[in-house]
Amino acid sequence: MEQDFEKIYEQYKQQTEQQAQMEANHPNQDGKEEIVAVRKNDDGDLIAFKTITGRELDYISALTEAKAGKIAHIDVFHKYGRDIIRSEPDGIKENNLDQLPEF
């Protein structure tokens, strides 16, 4: 019996999109803080972050906390010879760091 790979993939995509929407609409319940606003420099680079609890973190502090797993929905990856913070790729453009309001 031949499997319908396209159908299986579409089901997977729908499930992950539904899960991402559900997570976006519900507060984080694992004790991690979430970033709700950002500060950018004149070049549009992210330089600081505001958490849901109101804490304001400079880039290095946010990077340290993200590496330690203390901030939800953030990935740290190595590029250009340094560690960089980015949003978890979840398919929702509105919660990307670049799309968050500025403070």
Side-chain angles (χ1 to χ4, degrees), residues 59 63 76-86:
Y59 198 93
L63 186 62
V76 177
F77 69 105
H78 197 77
K79 191 172 184 179
Y80 313 118
R82 64 183 188 269
D83 289 332
I84 296 174
I85 296 173
R86 73 171 186 182

Side-chain angles (χ1 to χ4, degrees), residues 4 39 48:
D4 185 350
R39 180 166 294 159

Side-chain angles (χ1 to χ4, degrees), residues 1 3 9 16 20 27 29 44 52 57-58 63-64 77 83 95:
M1 184 167 143
Q3 294 185 7
Y9 178 73
T16 56
Q29 298 178 8
I52 199 164
L57 304 172
D58 61 73
L63 186 62
T64 301
F77 69 105
D83 289 332
N95 70 3

Side-chain angles (χ1 to χ4, degrees), residues 67-81:
K67 283 181 180 180
K70 295 179 179 179
I71 301 177
H73 311 300
I74 299 298
D75 284 340
V76 177
F77 69 105
H78 197 77
K79 191 172 184 179
Y80 313 118

Side-chain angles (χ1 to χ4, degrees), residues 2-73:
E2 191 172 314
Q3 294 185 7
D4 185 350
F5 294 113
E6 190 71 32
K7 183 178 177 182
I8 293 169
Y9 178 73
E10 285 304 315
Q11 288 174 341
Y12 159 77
K13 231 169 78 171
Q14 283 182 338
Q15 288 173 344
T16 56
E17 287 172 4
Q18 289 170 351
Q19 183 178 356
Q21 284 289 354
M22 192 172 72
E23 289 173 2
N25 294 330
H26 293 86
N28 188 24
Q29 298 178 8
D30 60 4
K32 295 180 182 180
E33 284 190 88
E34 295 180 39
I35 293 175
V36 295
V38 297
R39 180 166 294 159
K40 298 178 182 180
N41 65 13
D42 292 337
D43 293 331
D45 300 319
L46 298 172
I47 60 169
F49 306 89
K50 188 174 201 173
T51 69
I52 199 164
T53 63
R55 291 191 315 135
E56 296 179 4
L57 304 172
D58 61 73
Y59 198 93
I60 301 300
S61 298
L63 186 62
T64 301
E65 291 199 21
K67 283 181 180 180
K70 295 179 179 179
I71 301 177
H73 311 300

